[in-house]
Amino acid sequence: EYKLGRFEECITSIEQVIKGTTGPPSANTAKYYFLMGLAAKKANKIDKARDAFGKAAFGVFKVAAKEEQKSLGAK
């Protein structure tokens, strides 16, 4: 969906995947939140993108998520 430019559908699909996971955001879910942040950014849903990148700040995604937040003018 992301590669096809269907960003709204991508966000919805990722939200469904995340609902299937247990516990708070972690390194296991960081990849999903990071992709959701990218899709939200492309869909011009800046608040959703900030939130998703904040939840993606774990493991190997930590630095990239922080940089994406900065590029959005993180609050």
Side-chain angles (χ1 to χ4, degrees), residues 54-75:
K55 292 176 180 174
F58 291 92
V60 298
F61 292 94
K62 186 173 186 170
V63 174
K66 295 287 184 188
E67 288 300 314
E68 287 291 342
Q69 278 187 316
K70 277 189 210 174
S71 77
L72 296 171
K75 292 180 179 176

Side-chain angles (χ1 to χ4, degrees), residues 27-73:
N28 293 330
T29 57
K31 61 186 168 193
Y32 302 122
Y33 282 112
F34 191 81
L35 180 56
M36 184 190 307
L38 293 176
K41 185 177 175 181
K42 292 279 189 176
N44 204 29
K45 294 182 172 238
I46 304 306
D47 288 336
K48 185 146 195 94
R50 280 189 192 111
D51 181 58
F53 288 131
K55 292 176 180 174
F58 291 92
V60 298
F61 292 94
K62 186 173 186 170
V63 174
K66 295 287 184 188
E67 288 300 314
E68 287 291 342
Q69 278 187 316
K70 277 189 210 174
S71 77
L72 296 171

